[in-house]
Short mmCIF file of all heavy atoms in Angstrom, two decimals:
data_model
loop_
_atom_site.label_atom_id
_atom_site.label_comp_id
_atom_site.label_asym_id
_atom_site.label_seq_id
_atom_site.Cartn_x
_atom_site.Cartn_y
_atom_site.Cartn_z
N LEU G 1 -5.26 17.71 -6.52
CA LEU G 1 -4.05 17.35 -5.85
C LEU G 1 -3.37 18.57 -5.24
O LEU G 1 -2.81 18.48 -4.14
CB LEU G 1 -3.09 16.68 -6.87
CG LEU G 1 -3.40 15.23 -7.26
CD1 LEU G 1 -2.50 14.83 -8.45
CD2 LEU G 1 -3.31 14.28 -6.09
N ASN G 2 -3.51 19.77 -5.91
CA ASN G 2 -2.86 20.96 -5.37
C ASN G 2 -3.62 21.44 -4.14
O ASN G 2 -3.01 21.89 -3.14
CB ASN G 2 -2.97 22.09 -6.44
CG ASN G 2 -2.02 21.87 -7.57
OD1 ASN G 2 -0.92 21.35 -7.30
ND2 ASN G 2 -2.21 22.39 -8.78
N ILE G 3 -4.95 21.23 -4.15
CA ILE G 3 -5.76 21.58 -2.94
C ILE G 3 -5.41 20.68 -1.78
O ILE G 3 -5.25 21.17 -0.63
CB ILE G 3 -7.25 21.50 -3.25
CG1 ILE G 3 -7.70 22.49 -4.45
CG2 ILE G 3 -8.10 21.75 -2.03
CD1 ILE G 3 -9.01 22.24 -4.99
N ILE G 4 -5.25 19.41 -2.02
CA ILE G 4 -4.89 18.45 -0.98
C ILE G 4 -3.51 18.86 -0.36
O ILE G 4 -3.28 18.69 0.81
CB ILE G 4 -4.90 17.03 -1.48
CG1 ILE G 4 -6.32 16.58 -1.80
CG2 ILE G 4 -4.18 16.06 -0.46
CD1 ILE G 4 -6.48 15.28 -2.52
N LYS G 5 -2.63 19.31 -1.27
CA LYS G 5 -1.20 19.76 -0.79
C LYS G 5 -1.47 20.95 0.09
O LYS G 5 -0.75 21.02 1.09
CB LYS G 5 -0.44 20.08 -2.03
CG LYS G 5 1.04 20.22 -1.77
CD LYS G 5 1.79 20.50 -3.07
CE LYS G 5 3.36 20.78 -2.72
NZ LYS G 5 4.04 21.02 -4.00
N GLU G 6 -2.34 21.86 -0.22
CA GLU G 6 -2.55 22.99 0.69
C GLU G 6 -3.11 22.64 1.95
O GLU G 6 -2.72 23.06 3.06
CB GLU G 6 -3.64 23.96 -0.05
CG GLU G 6 -3.06 24.69 -1.23
CD GLU G 6 -4.09 25.64 -1.83
OE1 GLU G 6 -5.15 25.94 -1.20
OE2 GLU G 6 -3.94 25.95 -3.01
N ILE G 7 -4.03 21.63 2.02
CA ILE G 7 -4.60 21.06 3.26
C ILE G 7 -3.47 20.40 4.09
O ILE G 7 -3.42 20.67 5.34
CB ILE G 7 -5.76 20.06 3.02
CG1 ILE G 7 -6.94 20.81 2.34
CG2 ILE G 7 -6.13 19.31 4.20
CD1 ILE G 7 -8.05 19.87 1.91
N ASP G 8 -2.61 19.64 3.48
CA ASP G 8 -1.56 18.95 4.15
C ASP G 8 -0.55 19.99 4.76
O ASP G 8 0.12 19.52 5.71
CB ASP G 8 -0.85 18.07 3.15
CG ASP G 8 -1.72 16.78 2.75
OD1 ASP G 8 -2.66 16.58 3.53
OD2 ASP G 8 -1.35 16.11 1.87
N ALA G 9 -0.53 21.18 4.22
CA ALA G 9 0.42 22.20 4.81
C ALA G 9 -0.02 22.55 6.31
O ALA G 9 0.84 23.23 7.06
CB ALA G 9 0.50 23.40 3.91
N TYR G 10 -1.30 22.36 6.65
CA TYR G 10 -1.65 22.64 7.99
C TYR G 10 -1.41 21.56 9.02
O TYR G 10 -1.70 21.69 10.20
CB TYR G 10 -3.21 22.83 7.93
CG TYR G 10 -3.59 24.12 7.31
CD1 TYR G 10 -4.05 24.19 5.92
CD2 TYR G 10 -3.71 25.34 8.10
CE1 TYR G 10 -4.33 25.39 5.35
CE2 TYR G 10 -4.07 26.52 7.49
CZ TYR G 10 -4.40 26.55 6.13
OH TYR G 10 -4.71 27.75 5.53
N GLY G 11 -0.66 20.52 8.54
CA GLY G 11 -0.24 19.46 9.46
C GLY G 11 -0.89 18.13 9.09
O GLY G 11 -1.79 18.05 8.21
N LYS G 12 -0.42 17.12 9.75
CA LYS G 12 -0.94 15.73 9.48
C LYS G 12 -2.42 15.59 9.79
O LYS G 12 -2.95 16.13 10.80
CB LYS G 12 -0.13 14.75 10.41
CG LYS G 12 -0.37 13.27 10.07
CD LYS G 12 0.45 12.40 11.03
CE LYS G 12 0.10 10.94 10.68
NZ LYS G 12 0.83 10.04 11.70
N THR G 13 -3.07 14.97 8.88
CA THR G 13 -4.57 14.78 9.03
C THR G 13 -4.79 13.89 10.34
O THR G 13 -4.08 12.93 10.55
CB THR G 13 -5.10 13.96 7.82
OG1 THR G 13 -4.76 14.71 6.66
CG2 THR G 13 -6.63 14.03 7.89
N VAL G 14 -5.81 14.31 11.08
CA VAL G 14 -6.06 13.58 12.34
C VAL G 14 -6.61 12.21 12.11
O VAL G 14 -7.25 11.87 11.00
CB VAL G 14 -7.15 14.37 13.17
CG1 VAL G 14 -6.58 15.64 13.63
CG2 VAL G 14 -8.39 14.67 12.50
N ASP G 15 -6.28 11.36 13.01
CA ASP G 15 -6.76 9.97 12.89
C ASP G 15 -7.94 9.65 13.76
O ASP G 15 -7.94 10.00 14.97
CB ASP G 15 -5.62 9.01 13.54
CG ASP G 15 -5.97 7.49 13.54
OD1 ASP G 15 -6.98 7.17 12.86
OD2 ASP G 15 -5.30 6.77 14.14
N LEU G 16 -9.11 9.27 13.15
CA LEU G 16 -10.39 9.21 13.91
C LEU G 16 -10.71 7.72 14.13
O LEU G 16 -11.88 7.40 14.43
CB LEU G 16 -11.38 9.81 13.06
CG LEU G 16 -11.36 11.35 12.72
CD1 LEU G 16 -12.55 11.87 11.99
CD2 LEU G 16 -11.07 12.17 13.96
N SER G 17 -9.67 6.85 14.13
CA SER G 17 -10.05 5.39 14.22
C SER G 17 -10.51 5.10 15.68
O SER G 17 -11.12 4.02 15.91
CB SER G 17 -8.67 4.51 14.01
OG SER G 17 -7.69 4.98 14.87
N PHE G 18 -10.36 6.00 16.65
CA PHE G 18 -10.87 5.79 17.95
C PHE G 18 -12.31 6.08 18.12
O PHE G 18 -13.00 5.79 19.10
CB PHE G 18 -10.01 6.66 19.04
CG PHE G 18 -10.33 8.12 18.93
CD1 PHE G 18 -11.24 8.70 19.71
CD2 PHE G 18 -9.61 8.86 17.95
CE1 PHE G 18 -11.44 10.10 19.61
CE2 PHE G 18 -9.86 10.24 17.88
CZ PHE G 18 -10.81 10.89 18.70
N LEU G 19 -12.94 6.61 17.00
CA LEU G 19 -14.42 7.01 17.06
C LEU G 19 -15.10 5.93 16.30
O LEU G 19 -14.68 5.31 15.36
CB LEU G 19 -14.62 8.34 16.31
CG LEU G 19 -14.09 9.63 17.10
CD1 LEU G 19 -14.31 10.85 16.37
CD2 LEU G 19 -14.79 9.73 18.46
N SER G 20 -16.45 5.77 16.68
CA SER G 20 -17.33 4.81 15.97
C SER G 20 -17.72 5.56 14.63
O SER G 20 -17.69 6.79 14.52
CB SER G 20 -18.59 4.48 16.82
OG SER G 20 -19.32 5.64 16.97
N GLU G 21 -18.25 4.69 13.72
CA GLU G 21 -18.70 5.23 12.44
C GLU G 21 -19.90 6.26 12.66
O GLU G 21 -20.04 7.27 12.01
CB GLU G 21 -19.14 4.11 11.52
CG GLU G 21 -18.05 3.26 10.90
CD GLU G 21 -17.22 4.13 9.98
OE1 GLU G 21 -17.77 4.91 9.20
OE2 GLU G 21 -15.99 3.89 10.05
N ASP G 22 -20.76 5.87 13.58
CA ASP G 22 -21.91 6.79 13.93
C ASP G 22 -21.47 8.09 14.42
O ASP G 22 -22.06 9.13 14.01
CB ASP G 22 -22.80 6.02 14.99
CG ASP G 22 -24.14 6.73 15.06
OD1 ASP G 22 -24.63 7.13 14.00
OD2 ASP G 22 -24.79 6.86 16.12
N LYS G 23 -20.41 8.15 15.24
CA LYS G 23 -19.90 9.36 15.78
C LYS G 23 -19.24 10.15 14.70
O LYS G 23 -19.35 11.43 14.71
CB LYS G 23 -18.89 9.06 16.93
CG LYS G 23 -18.78 10.16 17.99
CD LYS G 23 -20.08 10.27 18.74
CE LYS G 23 -19.99 11.42 19.77
NZ LYS G 23 -21.27 11.59 20.49
N ILE G 24 -18.48 9.57 13.81
CA ILE G 24 -17.84 10.23 12.67
C ILE G 24 -18.83 10.88 11.75
O ILE G 24 -18.77 12.03 11.39
CB ILE G 24 -16.98 9.26 11.84
CG1 ILE G 24 -15.71 8.92 12.71
CG2 ILE G 24 -16.51 9.97 10.53
CD1 ILE G 24 -14.88 7.74 12.14
#
């Protein structure tokens, strides 16, 4: 949870819903 908090400090996680599963 502390590591995730550190990651979130870099900004909102990007949304990849515009990409196909294969591309992800």
Side-chain angles (χ1 to χ4, degrees):
L1 288 169
N2 287 332
I3 296 164
I4 290 169
K5 192 176 179 181
E6 287 179 21
I7 291 173
D8 289 344
Y10 286 91
K12 188 179 177 183
T13 310
V14 292
D15 178 15
L16 302 184
S17 58
F18 69 97
L19 290 176
S20 68
E21 287 295 322
D22 194 36
K23 207 69 181 175
I24 292 172

